Structure formats: structure tokens, C-alpha cells
Amino acid sequence: MNIPKTNLPRIVIIGAGFAGIHLARKLRNKNCQVVLIDKHNFHNFQPLMYQVATGGLEAGSIAYPVRKIIHDYKDFYFRLARVSEIDTKSGCVISDIGSLHYDYLVIATGSKTNFFGNKEIERNSMQMKTISQSLNIRSLILENFEQAVLSKDERERAFLMNFSLVGGGPTGVELAGALAEMKKAILQKDYPDLDISKMQINLIQSGDRILNTMTEKSSAHAEKFLSRLGVNILKNVRVTGYDGRTISTNTDLSIESATVIWTAGVMGAMINGFPESATDVKAKRFRVNEFGQVLGFQNIFAVGDIAQMETPEYPFGHPQMAQPAIQQGKHIGENIVRLVQGRIMKPFDYFDKGSMATIGRNKAVVDLPKVHFYGFFAWFVWMFVHLFSLIGFRNKAMVFLNWVYNYVRFDREGRLIVRPYKKKSFVAFTSDEV
Amino acid sequence: MNIPKTNLPRIVIIGAGFAGIHLARKLRNKNCQVVLIDKHNFHNFQPLMYQVATGGLEAGSIAYPVRKIIHDYKDFYFRLARVSEIDTKSGCVISDIGSLHYDYLVIATGSKTNFFGNKEIERNSMQMKTISQSLNIRSLILENFEQAVLSKDERERAFLMNFSLVGGGPTGVELAGALAEMKKAILQKDYPDLDISKMQINLIQSGDRILNTMTEKSSAHAEKFLSRLGVNILKNVRVTGYDGRTISTNTDLSIESATVIWTAGVMGAMINGFPESATDVKAKRFRVNEFGQVLGFQNIFAVGDIAQMETPEYPFGHPQMAQPAIQQGKHIGENIVRLVQGRIMKPFDYFDKGSMATIGRNKAVVDLPKVHFYGFFAWFVWMFVHLFSLIGFRNKAMVFLNWVYNYVRFDREGRLIVRPYKKKSFVAFTSDEV
């Protein structure tokens, strides 16, 4: 990997998500050599990805170059690479650009979509864990409408205008809200030759309420807001298959849908080379102690979605969301400094700041530790929190400007099919230059 | 194509570039059915594409949804399709989504890169006529640097950091300036482990001056500005081959370069179905009369880059640039209205407003019909003209905000490899999700 050999202890961090970046920042000016590895050259702000998928924001507004984050950090190196395995015996990271010895290793590879082994659903449905996947969803939504205008068959048009979101968590809820806003404000204008009232948005939840990690009141409000926007909420329905045309479920219900977006679960983005005892095989997460060390290893840490720190309050680990990742990144970064300096590490304690979800224009639900609120003010808080969590002045300014524009004009202009998604099934999109 | 049959005359426009869009606007509320066809669902602003390629602007800031442009125009239809042929006998457009009868046809398909038959160069070099191609260039620039940091071989690093622009027209000049600015302000910071002074930017021009459609004074100033930025200007050198590694020329000179961007020529994006007499076979343009009608056809028009209106002043047609396309679009749109209404068409007269090119920060050259100027004021005029030519308030605001940010911070943050370009040669970029 062409990293110079020095006398400094070398800390290798795999992953530049929330956990990896916040951890790296704690290692600045600490007499360590730090090598940050990611398969992308940018950090991205996952909580706003659904707005990229629905044309409200450009990808560049929620992504930030990793090299820029670290470019004035001494002895920091970034490498664009995919890590396949760790050789824990010799202390080496093995990647597609070569291998590298580490003194300390941090695994911050995050999570990916969990299809629970259903290959058919995995093949035919969309996911939204990366910028590329978000842009694919954007293309597919628009391609379906372009295809629908060509069809004289009512059933075919209904199929193409059916959007089904599987999973009633924040991602599913926020996508449903954004799609409903698109339907109301944009699609009818853009496609005057289609009857957009035939567009269906289904939110399919296996449990008996959506946003089931939030309070029951928040769930109820979210359901009310979504229903008013015309979203069909299907509860106690488990999706069992999707062949690209028809969604089958554990009930009588089946739905013909051209776009199925699967947000029903995540699992750790595992790396090979570890004994079973160090991992939760089902969740694909590394089991870590209260200091963040992977069980059985002194010098290997895991943080964020990939880490499972089992505590009395969180027997299955912390929720796989931004807040635990950020807090762990900061805390465990400090722990590594302590360890390197021969000091005693401190156990991690998660401070639950609460959670929130937005449902289209003017509406959100917010659960803070002691107070819960809904509607316009919650929406305002949601925007404020997300805006100020973005890295970089330019991204903040871009997102802010776009939000103001979208709000005032009831618009979202990112409806460009720059990179067609459907290549085989719809001949109109066989583009040679993409 | 599922376009309703009405009693209105049907005008089919192929291409939503400058010519097509400006022409379409003239047909609004004129008792015609208008069908606008393009292979992309957006119009884009080509003059700023080089800034997308070099990370200064997001693609979404210079592209605009076609459906939004026409969405309150009565009896207007947009179709996303690729037209392969015209059946002029039956009056039909043949495309990948079916065929469509026209009463009047407008060909506004623009131009594409001309490699003058050299397949090797075409295969190995980059071009910049579409948004996708611009994003490919952006990815390749960054990928080369990511690859260079991995190499211990000085010659390999020099090869990866060599950027060669073939063609000294506005595109080549503006790209060279932007790359030179990147080198100075960004790359040294982003890649502290590389010696960025080894980065070479070559501008290769077959003639004896760059910007040879502008005044000699402008050429001289542009050369001075570029040289000061460290660009190597190679004049009277014709590129004869590029195998992906080495550029060969008609002189002793050969250059090892990982990135060759070909801006040395364009040709019309021809459509099949026409007799040779209607076209200039070499330039691949439709020969049109002074009203814009393709020679030999009453009801078929060509406008913009694809049209070759031979006049005493322009014996080989108007230059293939934005201004002639916009002016032709407007004028010939009016002519079609006249023809449909049985009135007499008016001959087109091109008003040359002049031309300009920018060379990095604070520098440009501007040739107006009666006055020529250079330097800071020219740069300011260049920005003003381009900003106000963009379609849509949001795009103007986005570009303006980005320019202010880039100027104040000496930065351009669009350096994200969202869609890797190099897939085969550089294993680090074999991404499955792209």
C-alpha cells in the first residue's frame, strides 16, 4: 500500500463512515501514524440519502471527500481500497491494493442491507445503503414513469406506478413521505398524459406499528401523517418474495409493483479472518467489550454499526444508527490514544439523544429522552439537526439552499436520469456512453 | 409512442439541446401538437461541462429536466427515446420506443466527438460531450491520483500524473486551466505523499495557435495565461495515435500519459434515412437552406450543430457552438409557425455576438464584435454571461454559490468518485454496486 515505515505506532482504520471519521479525528496530533481505508473516496451522510433517491438533493451535497477531512492531519494516509480479510496472526490487513501491517486496527465497515437470505428479493428489489444505490432508485422511479407514458394498458401503467417500501423504519417512512410529496407536487405536472392519482405508495411493515423503535405516540402520528399524504400502510404483513413483478406476502395479499425498495433490515459488513467467538454470526457484527475491543483481541477495535457491545440496557448491541456510531467513534478514538499512551481505557456509555423521522413537507416526529413532539415544530427541529450535522460549510449551504428552494417552489429538480438503471428490460435505456 | 391523434399539425423535434429547446419554446400556444424527443430526460449546459469534469460543479447544477421546461405548455409531449432513422417517404420517426408520424420534423441532434476515423484514439481517450462523459473524466482524474500514491516507480507516477488535452479550442483551453487550478490549489493538499510538481498538463494543438477561431491577440493572451499556470502548450503537433499509454504524434515527440482528453473535433450526430444530397458526408451535417429546411424537403428542418447552412460568410456552415444553435432555434421555430400558418418564412441571419474562453481563476479572453479584452474584467464578463444563460433559478443559484465558494476557498469539492471509471485496469475499483 506504499505507506512509509516509521517508529510511530500504526493505526489502521477500515471505513470512513460516521464511526471511522469521528474516531480518526481523535487521533490527530497523537504521535501515531494513521491509515484510513475506504472503498469510496468520500464520507457520506446516510440520513439524507433518501432525499438523493427522490431528487431533492444532489449526491455531492451529502458526500464529502475523505482526503479533504484529513488533509491537514500529520502522518495521516488515505487509501481507496476494499479490505477482504484480516490476518490477525501476523497483524495484517489484506486488500485489493496489497496488504499492510497494523499495530492497532479499527473496524468501522458499517452495515449493509439484510435480505435474510432471500436471494429472489435481493435480486429484484432496490436497496439504499450507498450513494450509488440511491442514484439507482432515482433513475428507476423516473424510468418507470417514462415507461408508463408509453403504455396503453391500464394494468401495466398501474404496475409501473406502484412503489412499495418494505420495512417501516425511518428509512421506509422517510422514503414514503418523499415519494408522496413527489406525487402531489411534481409528477402530475411532469406527466400530464398520465393519471397520477393511480400512483400507489405502499409501506409494508411486518409488525403492528411503523417506527417501532420510537414511542407509540410517534408511530401513531407518523401513520396519520403518511395516510393523509395518501400512503397505504400495510401492517402485520411480511413480504416473502418478489419476482420483479409481484410481491408475495405471508397473507392473502399480493401486489404488482415495478419498484420495491427493501429497508427491512441491515447486517454488519463483515470482514473475514476472525474466530466465531468474536462475532455474532447472525447479525454479522463483531462482539466488543465495553472499551470497544473485539473479544479476544487487545489491539483490534470495532465501532459503529459493525460493533456489538452487549450491555444490560442493550443486550443485542446499540442500534445501528448514526448517533451510536458517532459517540463510539469519539470515545473509542480516545480509548486507543489511552492504550497507545499506556493509560487506562474507559468503558463506553451510550447517551441516547432520542430519535426522529420526517414525513414529507412540514411534518416530523421527534422523541427526545424526556419530551416528544410532532408536526411542524418537529419538522423544523429535524431540519436543523440534520443541516448542522453535515460536514463542511459548502454541503450545509447547498442542502440549505436546496431545501429553501424545494420548499418555496414545491419542487425537487434532481430528476435527471444521468445514469440509467434499467438496462435490459426497457430497451429505451440502452445507452452506450453510461 | 402513445401520442394522441388530434387535428393539430404534429411537429416532432429530435434533441433537447440549445437548438431544440429554443425552437420548442417558439411553438408554445401556436395550435400545434409538439413532440420533443431526447435520449436524456434533461437539457444540459455544455459550456460549463468542463467544470463538472474537474469537480467545480455538480452535474445537477448544469442540467435541467426537459419535462419541467415544457410542463405548462399545452399539447406538448416529451419522449425519452433514441431515434435511429427517419422514413421520409411515409413521414415517420423510427425509434427504440416505436415510430411516430410527423407533419413537420426538426432535427436538432447536435454533434458528437470526431476522432477522424482513428479507432485506437477513440478507444483509449476520453471525450466530453455528455454529462456522463464529464463524470467519467472526473473519476479518471481522481483514480489516477489514487493509483499514483500506490506506486513506488517514478516513471509510473509521472505517467499517471500526466494529463494531455488534444485540441486547442475553448474546451481544451478551459479544461487545461481548470486542471492547472486543481494542481495548484487542491491536489498538493489532498495528496501530501505525492510530489504534485511532477503533474504535467499538456495542451496539444495541431495549428500554430490555440483558440484559432478567436483573434490573434486573444490567442496570445490565452497562451500567456496558460503558461503562467504551468500548462505545456505544444503547437504544430498533431496527435496520430494513443494506445492507452503513449501518445504518438507527427513529430519526434511522444508522451506517456494516463489521461488523454480528445477535444480536437466534432461531427454531426447524424440520423439515417436521408439521400446524400441532403448531407455533408464528411462533416455529418444536414445541408439546409436559408430557412432551415433540409435540402430537398419542405417539412424537415435541421437546427444547431447538426445543420449546415452555407452562406457567403459561412461557406461551411455556422460554427458548432451555443450561439448559432440558440439563434437558429428561435428563428427557425418562428419559421415553422409561419409555414404552418401559410405565411412566408424569413431567411436566417446569424448575429455573431463574439466568443470567449476562461483560463482558470481571474483570467479570460473575450472577443466582442468591436472590442476585445483580457484578464480579470474578461473573466468577470465570462462568469456573468454563463451564469445568466443557465436555465432555471435553482441552477443559477447553485452555480453562483459554488463559484463563490470555490473562489473564496480555492477549492472545488466535487472530487467524489461516485461512479468509478477504470474498472479493468485498476483492481481497486471493481465495485459491484455501481
Side-chain angles (χ1 to χ4, degrees):
Chain A
M1 288 197 191
N2 205 16
I3 305 287
K5 255 195 151 151
T6 63
N7 290 323
L8 302 173
R10 180 184 287 160
I11 304 168
V12 176
I13 304 169
I14 309 169
F18 284 122
I21 288 293
H22 281 92
L23 188 141
R25 283 175 162 175
K26 291 289 180 189
L27 303 178
R28 187 182 183 182
N29 294 333
K30 291 289 186 284
N31 269 319
C32 300
Q33 185 189 62
V34 178
V35 181
L36 182 55
I37 300 175
D38 198 282
K39 60 186 174 177
H40 294 122
N41 74 337
F42 51 84
H43 165 80
N44 65 58
F45 192 74
Q46 286 216 17
L48 291 178
M49 237 172 222
Y50 80 97
Q51 296 207 5
V52 172
T54 51
L57 292 175
E58 288 304 310
S61 303
I62 68 159
Y64 199 86
V66 175
R67 287 191 178 274
K68 174 150 178 173
I69 298 174
I70 62 165
H71 76 192
D72 51 358
Y73 291 17
K74 221 178 129 240
D75 297 312
F76 266 67
Y77 295 85
F78 172 73
R79 288 296 179 264
L80 185 63
R82 286 175 181 263
V83 172
S84 51
E85 196 179 337
I86 309 298
D87 182 344
T88 56
K89 287 225 172 66
S90 66
C92 264
V93 168
I94 299 163
S95 83
D96 54 358
I97 58 165
S99 61
L100 183 70
H101 177 75
Y102 58 83
D103 296 311
Y104 302 89
L105 177 67
V106 179
I107 304 170
T109 46
S111 57
K112 52 185 192 177
T113 309
N114 192 350
F115 292 96
F116 305 101
N118 192 319
K119 290 283 169 201
E120 188 204 48
I121 295 177
E122 185 170 351
R123 214 168 32 242
N124 295 310
S125 68
M126 309 298 288
Q127 40 181 314
M128 201 187 68
K129 287 292 285 178
T130 69
I131 294 269
S132 294
Q133 290 166 351
S134 309
L135 292 172
N136 286 343
I137 290 174
R138 182 198 284 196
S139 290
L140 182 62
I141 294 169
L142 297 166
E143 285 165 1
N144 283 337
F145 280 95
E146 292 298 335
Q147 196 173 353
V149 293
L150 301 180
S151 175
K152 288 181 177 150
D153 183 71
E154 212 169 301
R155 186 173 161 185
E156 186 69 12
R157 282 202 305 269
F159 160 72
L160 289 164
M161 290 197 282
N162 188 299
F163 297 83
S164 295
L165 310 162
V166 187
T171 307
V173 166
E174 296 187 327
L175 268 173
L179 279 168
E181 293 289 353
M182 273 183 99
K183 174 181 176 179
K184 233 173 48 173
I186 294 167
L187 296 165
Q188 190 63 70
K189 279 192 217 156
D190 265 9
Y191 297 91
D193 31 351
L194 281 176
D195 178 4
I196 295 292
S197 71
K198 295 277 160 62
M199 173 180 176
Q200 296 287 320
I201 304 159
N202 304 309
L203 182 63
I204 309 174
Q205 165 71 325
S206 60
D208 59 2
R209 63 181 177 107
I210 62 171
L211 296 178
N212 61 15
T213 58
M214 295 186 71
T215 57
E216 292 201 14
K217 245 186 161 166
S218 287
S219 298
H221 274 94
E223 288 182 15
K224 189 180 67 188
F225 295 152
L226 282 174
S227 300
R228 279 194 201 149
L229 280 170
V231 173
N232 313 316
I233 303 172
L234 307 167
K235 291 187 287 191
N236 297 309
V237 175
R238 187 180 296 277
V239 171
T240 54
Y242 176 56
D243 59 7
R245 175 117 212 149
T246 307
I247 301 170
S248 46
T249 69
N250 65 338
T251 70
D252 286 347
L253 187 78
S254 71
I255 302 167
E256 289 204 347
S257 182
T259 310
V260 174
I261 306 174
W262 184 265
T263 69
V266 296
M267 59 183 180
M270 227 347 138
I271 291 184
N272 294 328
F274 288 85
E276 266 199 18
S277 59
T279 62
D280 177 326
V281 178
K282 214 174 135 211
K284 294 199 187 288
R285 293 170 89 177
F286 286 103
R287 299 178 64 200
V288 299
N289 64 17
E290 68 269 40
F291 306 113
Q293 290 162 308
V294 173
L295 297 192
F297 298 89
Q298 276 290 318
N299 62 340
I300 302 181
F301 295 78
V303 280
D305 283 5
I306 188 72
Q308 184 164 302
M309 190 185 290
E310 294 153 18
T311 66
E313 210 183 337
Y314 297 98
F316 305 106
H318 298 103
Q320 285 161 297
M321 304 192 315
Q323 267 306 315
I326 292 168
Q327 292 181 28
Q328 278 184 9
K330 287 178 181 171
H331 183 92
I332 287 156
E334 286 166 359
N335 266 355
I336 293 172
V337 174
R338 290 185 190 107
L339 184 64
V340 171
Q341 295 176 345
R343 293 187 289 139
I344 290 169
M345 296 192 292
K346 291 187 180 167
F348 173 71
D349 194 18
Y350 175 52
F351 173 60
D352 185 357
K353 291 186 180 174
S355 55
M356 49 179 80
T358 185
I359 300 114
R361 193 180 170 84
N362 293 341
K363 298 277 184 290
V365 292
V366 174
D367 287 346
L368 298 188
K370 289 192 178 147
V371 54
H372 318 295
F373 47 97
Y374 320 100
F376 185 79
F377 179 66
W379 176 73
F380 208 79
V381 168
W382 180 93
M383 283 207 302
F384 187 83
V385 166
H386 282 76
L387 199 58
F388 283 86
S389 307
L390 281 163
I391 291 183
F393 170 77
R394 180 186 152 280
N395 283 7
K396 286 189 183 74
M398 284 290 138
V399 169
F400 179 71
L401 190 69
N402 269 289
W403 282 354
V404 170
Y405 178 85
N406 296 350
Y407 188 80
V408 173
R409 300 283 285 261
F410 287 83
D411 204 352
R412 35 184 79 211
E413 284 189 0
R415 42 193 199 274
L416 318 172
I417 308 175
V418 171
R419 178 176 59 180
Y421 174 71
K422 275 191 187 182
K423 285 187 187 155
K424 293 157 228 162
S425 50
F426 182 29
V427 288
F429 300 93
T430 52
S431 160
D432 50 3
E433 85 233 359
V434 176
Chain B
M1 288 197 190
N2 205 16
I3 305 287
K5 256 195 152 153
T6 63
N7 290 325
L8 302 173
R10 180 184 287 159
I11 304 168
V12 176
I13 304 168
I14 310 170
F18 283 122
I21 288 294
H22 281 92
L23 188 141
R25 283 175 161 174
K26 291 290 179 188
L27 303 178
R28 188 182 183 182
N29 294 333
K30 291 289 185 286
N31 269 319
C32 301
Q33 186 189 61
V34 177
V35 181
L36 182 54
I37 301 175
D38 198 282
K39 60 186 174 177
H40 294 121
N41 75 337
F42 50 85
H43 165 80
N44 65 57
F45 192 74
Q46 286 216 19
L48 290 178
M49 238 173 222
Y50 80 96
Q51 296 207 3
V52 172
T54 51
L57 292 174
E58 287 305 311
S61 303
I62 66 158
Y64 199 86
V66 176
R67 287 190 178 276
K68 174 149 179 175
I69 298 174
I70 62 166
H71 75 192
D72 51 358
Y73 291 17
K74 222 178 129 238
D75 297 312
F76 266 67
Y77 295 85
F78 173 72
R79 288 296 179 263
L80 185 63
R82 284 175 183 264
V83 172
S84 51
E85 197 179 336
I86 309 298
D87 182 344
T88 57
K89 287 225 173 64
S90 67
C92 263
V93 168
I94 300 164
S95 84
D96 55 357
I97 59 167
S99 62
L100 183 71
H101 178 76
Y102 59 81
D103 295 312
Y104 302 89
L105 176 67
V106 179
I107 304 171
T109 46
S111 57
K112 53 186 191 175
T113 308
N114 191 351
F115 293 95
F116 304 101
N118 192 320
K119 290 284 170 203
E120 188 204 48
I121 295 177
E122 184 169 353
R123 214 170 30 245
N124 295 310
S125 69
M126 309 298 288
Q127 41 182 314
M128 201 187 68
K129 287 292 285 178
T130 69
I131 293 269
S132 295
Q133 290 166 351
S134 309
L135 292 172
N136 286 343
I137 291 174
R138 182 198 284 197
S139 290
L140 181 62
I141 294 169
L142 299 166
E143 285 165 1
N144 282 338
F145 279 95
E146 292 298 336
Q147 196 173 353
V149 293
L150 301 179
S151 175
K152 289 182 176 148
D153 183 71
E154 211 168 303
R155 185 173 162 186
E156 186 69 12
R157 283 202 305 269
F159 160 71
L160 289 163
M161 290 196 281
N162 187 300
F163 296 83
S164 294
L165 310 162
V166 187
T171 307
V173 166
E174 295 187 327
L175 267 172
L179 279 168
E181 292 290 353
M182 275 183 97
K183 174 180 175 180
K184 232 172 51 172
I186 293 166
L187 295 166
Q188 189 64 69
K189 280 192 215 154
D190 265 9
Y191 297 91
D193 32 350
L194 281 176
D195 178 4
I196 296 292
S197 71
K198 295 278 162 59
M199 174 180 176
Q200 295 288 319
I201 303 158
N202 305 309
L203 182 63
I204 309 173
Q205 166 71 325
S206 59
D208 61 359
R209 62 181 178 108
I210 62 171
L211 298 179
N212 61 16
T213 58
M214 296 187 71
T215 56
E216 292 201 14
K217 244 186 161 167
S218 287
S219 298
H221 274 93
E223 288 182 15
K224 187 180 70 188
F225 296 153
L226 283 174
S227 299
R228 279 194 201 149
L229 280 171
V231 173
N232 313 316
I233 303 172
L234 307 166
K235 292 187 285 191
N236 297 308
V237 174
R238 187 180 295 278
V239 171
T240 53
Y242 176 55
D243 60 6
R245 175 117 211 151
T246 307
I247 301 170
S248 47
T249 69
N250 65 336
T251 70
D252 286 346
L253 188 77
S254 70
I255 303 167
E256 289 205 344
S257 182
T259 310
V260 174
I261 307 174
W262 184 266
T263 68
V266 296
M267 58 183 180
M270 226 348 137
I271 292 184
N272 294 328
F274 288 85
E276 265 197 21
S277 59
T279 62
D280 177 325
V281 178
K282 213 174 137 211
K284 295 199 187 291
R285 294 171 89 177
F286 286 104
R287 300 177 64 200
V288 300
N289 63 18
E290 69 269 40
F291 307 113
Q293 290 163 308
V294 174
L295 297 191
F297 298 89
Q298 276 291 318
N299 62 339
I300 301 181
F301 294 78
V303 279
D305 283 5
I306 189 71
Q308 183 163 302
M309 189 185 291
E310 295 153 19
T311 66
E313 211 183 337
Y314 298 98
F316 305 105
H318 298 103
Q320 285 161 298
M321 304 192 313
Q323 267 306 315
I326 292 169
Q327 291 181 29
Q328 279 184 9
K330 288 179 182 170
H331 183 92
I332 288 157
E334 286 166 359
N335 265 355
I336 293 172
V337 173
R338 288 184 191 109
L339 184 65
V340 171
Q341 295 176 346
R343 293 188 289 139
I344 290 171
M345 296 192 291
K346 291 187 180 166
F348 172 71
D349 194 17
Y350 174 52
F351 173 60
D352 184 358
K353 291 186 180 174
S355 56
M356 49 179 79
T358 184
I359 301 116
R361 191 181 173 83
N362 293 341
K363 298 276 183 294
V365 293
V366 173
D367 286 346
L368 298 189
K370 288 191 178 149
V371 55
H372 317 296
F373 47 99
Y374 319 101
F376 185 79
F377 179 66
W379 176 73
F380 207 80
V381 168
W382 180 94
M383 284 206 301
F384 186 84
V385 167
H386 283 77
L387 198 59
F388 283 85
S389 308
L390 281 162
I391 291 184
F393 170 77
R394 179 187 153 278
N395 284 8
K396 285 188 183 75
M398 285 291 139
V399 169
F400 178 71
L401 190 69
N402 269 289
W403 282 353
V404 170
Y405 178 86
N406 296 351
Y407 189 80
V408 173
R409 300 283 284 261
F410 288 84
D411 204 352
R412 35 183 78 210
E413 285 189 358
R415 43 194 198 273
L416 318 171
I417 309 174
V418 170
R419 177 176 60 179
Y421 173 72
K422 276 191 187 183
K423 285 187 186 154
K424 293 156 228 163
S425 50
F426 183 26
V427 288
F429 300 93
T430 52
S431 161
D432 49 4
E433 85 233 359
V434 175

